[in-house]
Amino acid sequence: MNSITTHVLDTARGRPAAGVPITLEHRVDDGAWAPVGSGVTDEDGRLRTLVPPSMRLVVGVYRLTFDTDLYFSSLGVEGFFPEAVIVFHVRDAGQHHHVPLLLSPFGYSTYRGS
C-alpha cells in the first residue's frame, strides 16, 4: 500500500480529535520541503487522503504538521504548542506508513502505527 495516514487522539478529552488541519511535505534534494497533500481529520480523528491517488511515494524524509492551535482554539482551550511537527523516514515506499498523534493542550507524542 502506497500511503501515509494519521490518527489524532485528544488524550485530555479521551476522544478522537476531529477538525485538525494537517499538511504533509517531502524533503527534496536541496533540503527544501515540497508539499505532498493536506486535509482535516474526520469525526474519528483520522486522515487517510494525505497522499494523492496519482502520486507514488518515494524513499525519503517526510514531515507532518498538525495545526494544534486551530484545533484547541475551536474548543475554547488554550494550548501550549501551536503546531505538532513530526519528521520521519520512509525507507520502503511500498509500505503503508501510519503516524498517529496523541495530543493534549500541553504535550504530544507519536509512534509508528500499523
Side-chain angles (χ1 to χ4, degrees), residues 74-111:
S74 73
L75 298 174
V77 173
E78 189 173 290
F80 184 70
F81 298 101
E83 296 178 328
V85 179
I86 303 169
V87 179
F88 59 98
H89 283 280
V90 168
R91 292 194 169 94
D92 181 348
Q95 285 188 5
H96 172 70
H97 294 78
H98 185 64
V99 185
L101 179 70
L102 304 175
L103 181 63
S104 76
F106 299 102
Y108 63 91
S109 65
T110 187
Y111 59 94

Side-chain angles (χ1 to χ4, degrees), residues 20-86:
V20 179
I22 303 168
T23 59
L24 173 65
E25 299 164 291
H26 177 244
R27 191 164 64 197
V28 292
D29 293 337
D30 65 359
W33 292 100
V36 172
S38 63
V40 177
T41 56
D42 63 16
E43 290 301 313
D44 193 36
R46 297 181 184 275
L47 183 53
R48 298 176 177 95
T49 57
L50 282 166
V51 179
S54 61
M55 181 184 170
R56 299 272 318 147
L57 284 183
V58 296
V59 169
V61 177
Y62 289 79
R63 176 169 69 183
L64 281 169
T65 303
F66 300 79
D67 188 341
T68 57
D69 201 34
L70 184 65
Y71 170 70
F72 285 122
S73 294
S74 73
L75 298 174
V77 173
E78 189 173 290
F80 184 70
F81 298 101
E83 296 178 328
V85 179
I86 303 169

